Amino acid sequence: MPSQLTTVEAEPTHFEWAKRHLIANGIDPLDHWLINAAVCANSEPRLFMLGSGLYYNGIVAPDDVQVAVNQIVSIDAAEQALRNLMLGGRCGMQLPYDSDAGTDLFDFKFVSALPLADILAPLSHVDLIDMDIQGAEDTVLPPAMEMLDRRVRRIHIGTHRADIHGGLWDMFFEHEWICEFDYAPFAKHNTPWGEFETL
C-alpha cells in the first residue's frame, strides 16, 4: 500500500535510529519525510537534552537550565561552555541529570523547532499521528487544532502529566473528537487485554 511517512525527532542519535529502523523494515528513508527538529509551539530554536540511548530527552525547562548553569559554574567550566555554545550551539560537556529513572549524563544543545501546523501544512491528509513529546503536548497541540480538525483522522498521544492529560481530553472533546482509548498517566487501568499501570 502506498504511504508517506513523516518522522520528527530532535535528538540526533534517535533521528539516526529512525532511519535505521525504516531501512531494517525495507523502507527507504529517501522516499519519506524525516525532520531533525523538535515539535514546538513556534519556530524559535530550543535548548534540548542530548543523551544517546536514553528515552526521556526533551526541551530543557527553565528550572533545569538553572540547574545546568549551577553545575557548569561549580566545575569552573562556564567559559568553556559559553565558547562551545557560541561556536557550535551546544555545551559540549556531559552533565548529570536526576529523574525518576535515576541519574544520567546529558549534553545540552540548541535544536531547530517546528510548529505542528507547519509540519502538517504540506500534507493534504494524515491517517495517524503518534506523538510522544515529553510533556510539551499542552503547548504544541492547541495552536494546531484547526489543522488537526481538518487534516488528521486519528491521533495517539503519550501524555506525561495528569493536568496535561485532562486538558487535552477537554480540548479534543470541545472539537468533537471521539476518544477510543483513554489511559491517563500515573494510574492503574483495567482493560479487555489485562491490567497495567502507566508511568
Side-chain angles (χ1 to χ4, degrees), residues 122-198:
L123 306 172
S124 60
H125 73 277
V126 176
D127 293 308
L128 171 67
I129 291 178
D130 180 63
M131 176 180 288
D132 186 350
I133 52 176
Q134 301 301 318
E137 304 87 17
D138 60 341
T139 59
V140 165
L141 287 162
M145 279 309 298
E146 181 180 353
M147 189 75 80
L148 290 170
D149 290 340
R150 294 176 59 184
R151 299 194 181 183
V152 178
R153 295 178 181 169
R154 181 170 292 181
I155 184 166
H156 173 258
I157 306 168
T159 53
H160 295 78
R161 291 198 333 246
D163 60 326
I164 292 176
H165 187 89
L168 293 182
W169 209 105
D170 292 342
M171 180 179 69
F172 278 96
F173 181 78
E174 289 170 7
H175 284 254
E176 300 181 348
W177 283 64
I178 297 170
C179 181
E180 294 186 6
F181 299 99
D182 180 19
Y183 301 121
F186 306 105
K188 289 184 178 178
H189 304 280
N190 289 307
T191 77
W193 308 278
E195 183 179 293
F196 68 93
E197 185 174 356
T198 52

Side-chain angles (χ1 to χ4, degrees), residues 12-176:
T13 300
H14 297 180
F15 185 72
E16 291 303 317
W17 286 352
K19 290 181 185 177
R20 285 169 38 194
H21 184 68
L22 291 174
I23 292 167
N25 286 277
I27 301 170
D28 187 343
L30 296 177
D31 293 334
H32 300 275
W33 193 22
L34 278 66
I35 304 168
N36 191 191
V39 183
C40 295
N42 57 49
S43 57
E44 295 178 7
R46 296 296 199 282
L47 191 62
F48 197 85
M49 303 167 67
L50 301 183
S52 61
L54 301 171
Y55 294 96
Y56 56 95
N57 310 68
I59 294 169
V60 183
D63 290 345
D64 290 332
V65 170
Q66 188 58 53
V67 170
V69 168
N70 292 344
Q71 290 173 335
I72 291 167
V73 169
S74 73
I75 60 174
D76 197 28
E79 182 177 340
Q80 184 62 48
L82 180 59
R83 181 179 293 107
N84 293 343
L85 281 168
M86 294 184 74
L87 291 174
R90 67 190 298 165
C91 288
M93 54 191 65
Q94 297 290 308
L95 301 173
Y97 179 84
D98 297 322
S99 73
D100 293 340
T103 300
D104 291 295
L105 297 177
F106 288 91
D107 193 359
F108 296 89
K109 176 184 179 181
F110 283 97
V111 298
S112 299
L114 282 174
L116 181 55
D118 287 4
I119 296 165
L120 295 173
L123 306 172
S124 60
H125 73 277
V126 176
D127 293 308
L128 171 67
I129 291 178
D130 180 63
M131 176 180 288
D132 186 350
I133 52 176
Q134 301 301 318
E137 304 87 17
D138 60 341
T139 59
V140 165
L141 287 162
M145 279 309 298
E146 181 180 353
M147 189 75 80
L148 290 170
D149 290 340
R150 294 176 59 184
R151 299 194 181 183
V152 178
R153 295 178 181 169
R154 181 170 292 181
I155 184 166
H156 173 258
I157 306 168
T159 53
H160 295 78
R161 291 198 333 246
D163 60 326
I164 292 176
H165 187 89
L168 293 182
W169 209 105
D170 292 342
M171 180 179 69
F172 278 96
F173 181 78
E174 289 170 7
H175 284 254
E176 300 181 348

